Amino acid sequence: MLNYLDKLKNTDSGNFFLMAGPCAIEGEDIAMRIADKIITITDKLQIPYIFKGSYRKANRSKGSSFTGIGDEKALRILERIGREFGVPTVTDIHESGEAAMAAAYVDVLQIPAFLCRQTDLLIAAAETGKVVNVKKGQFLSAGSMKFAVEKVKEAGNNKVILTDRGNTFGYQDLIVDYRGLPEMQSFGVPVVMDCTHSLQQPNQSSGVTGGKPELISTIAKAAIAVGADGLFIETHPDPANAKSDGANMLHLDLLEETLTKLIRIRQAIL
């Protein structure tokens, strides 16, 4: 991952970079199939790519919700994807003690939005030497994220990415304020738009988070037009039966068409 952030921001193709994959690692076969499909698309379109998959889902509405297939089993799947496809991988961590464990298998450690102010967690991630992707809390302004960047850098790690995933709007909805993207870029780090989680409708009475996946393309188009360095998209071949966040994932069959349109917007603003 040496100089990887520079490569993401200054690619020969001029494209944005992409973090994409299933919400959670559900099993080896489906994870490998999703990775293979996305890599075929991103290679064709010359989009730098990072495979995303959570080895465990710690933030669940109900205690009975799917959390994972086992930490080591899921992390080994991520490791295999990185090794066999030759792409970097990213996964969430939730507690300081998980940083070193996950860093042994993946290239990018992601700090969930609800945990972006947890100083010990940020420092533990930074001290692994891996790239640290910090998701902006739904409850924070874009300007507040400079402190998260400072925490990582003061721990001796300059490899930081910030990801916007919308702002709390009432009890059951989120809204994206695109002014935040250039504001966070002013901190000297790549900024990503999470096009799927920003369309969540949390706190539903059913205990299952809802979403508006039909607007994923809209969120992504606006983010590229504003100048986002990268996009974060959770995708699945069968969102309706995905074990986590199916309500706001992009169907895998729609990914190539979506990215092709986004490249045209990127080229228009360069």
Side-chain angles (χ1 to χ4, degrees):
M1 292 293 288
L2 184 63
N3 296 323
Y4 193 72
L5 294 184
D6 290 335
K7 293 179 182 178
L8 293 179
K9 294 192 73 174
N10 299 291
T11 64
D12 292 337
S13 66
N15 279 336
F16 50 88
F17 66 93
L18 177 69
M19 295 184 187
C23 178
I25 298 297
E26 301 175 1
E28 185 169 68
D29 179 65
I30 189 168
M32 294 294 286
R33 285 192 285 117
I34 292 171
D36 183 61
K37 178 72 175 288
I38 299 175
I39 289 164
T40 298
I41 294 169
T42 53
D43 281 353
K44 176 182 176 181
L45 299 178
Q46 295 185 288
I47 296 173
Y49 174 57
I50 303 171
F51 178 85
K52 184 270 168 185
S54 297
Y55 71 88
R56 174 160 34 95
K57 301 302 296 182
N59 178 19
R60 303 285 83 192
S61 296
K62 297 191 296 184
S64 59
S65 297
F66 173 81
T67 58
I69 60 174
D71 292 357
E72 185 174 358
K73 184 177 180 180
L75 285 166
R76 288 193 181 281
I77 292 170
L78 285 162
E79 181 183 46
R80 182 185 173 194
I81 288 170
R83 181 179 65 251
E84 295 195 9
F85 290 107
V87 296
T89 54
V90 56
T91 198
D92 316 73
I93 59 172
H94 320 91
E95 298 179 6
S96 302
E98 298 175 18
M101 174 186 70
Y105 297 93
V106 302
D107 304 286
V108 183
L109 298 180
Q110 182 167 285
I111 309 300
F114 282 125
L115 302 177
C116 69
R117 285 172 51 93
Q118 297 299 103
T119 301
D120 289 348
L121 180 60
L122 288 166
I123 291 174
E127 289 178 343
T128 67
K130 298 291 184 174
V131 176
V132 182
N133 178 37
V134 189
K135 285 198 165 184
K136 184 186 79 63
Q138 304 93 314
F139 46 87
L140 289 178
S141 68
S144 297
M145 291 305 292
K146 68 180 178 181
F147 302 114
V149 173
E150 288 174 359
K151 289 176 184 178
V152 176
K153 290 187 174 182
E154 287 170 0
N157 188 335
N158 291 320
K159 295 177 288 188
V160 191
I161 299 172
L162 292 180
T163 295
D164 196 337
R165 49 97 76 238
N167 304 286
T168 299
F169 188 71
Y171 288 114
Q172 295 177 320
D173 206 0
L174 299 169
I175 191 167
V176 177
D177 181 354
Y178 288 95
R179 297 174 300 177
L181 300 185
E183 183 171 4
M184 290 192 290
Q185 284 172 327
S186 73
F187 307 147
V189 299
V191 172
V192 173
M193 184 72 234
D194 183 338
C195 305
T196 45
H197 288 98
S198 60
L199 290 167
Q200 283 184 332
Q201 293 181 305
N203 305 316
Q204 299 296 314
S205 58
S206 65
V208 178
T209 298
K212 296 182 178 180
E214 68 275 10
L215 293 176
I216 292 171
S217 180
T218 301
I219 295 292
K221 288 175 183 176
I224 294 301
V226 169
D229 298 294
L231 298 176
F232 180 107
I233 297 175
E234 288 189 338
T235 182
H236 195 282
D238 186 10
N241 290 301
K243 294 184 178 181
S244 178
D245 280 2
N248 54 270
M249 279 201 277
L250 180 70
H251 196 293
L252 189 56
D253 288 345
L254 300 176
L255 183 63
E256 182 171 357
E257 178 184 3
T258 300
L259 293 175
T260 299
K261 292 177 180 178
L262 296 172
I263 288 173
R264 295 194 191 110
I265 297 173
R266 177 75 168 196
Q267 291 171 341
I269 66 171
L270 288 177

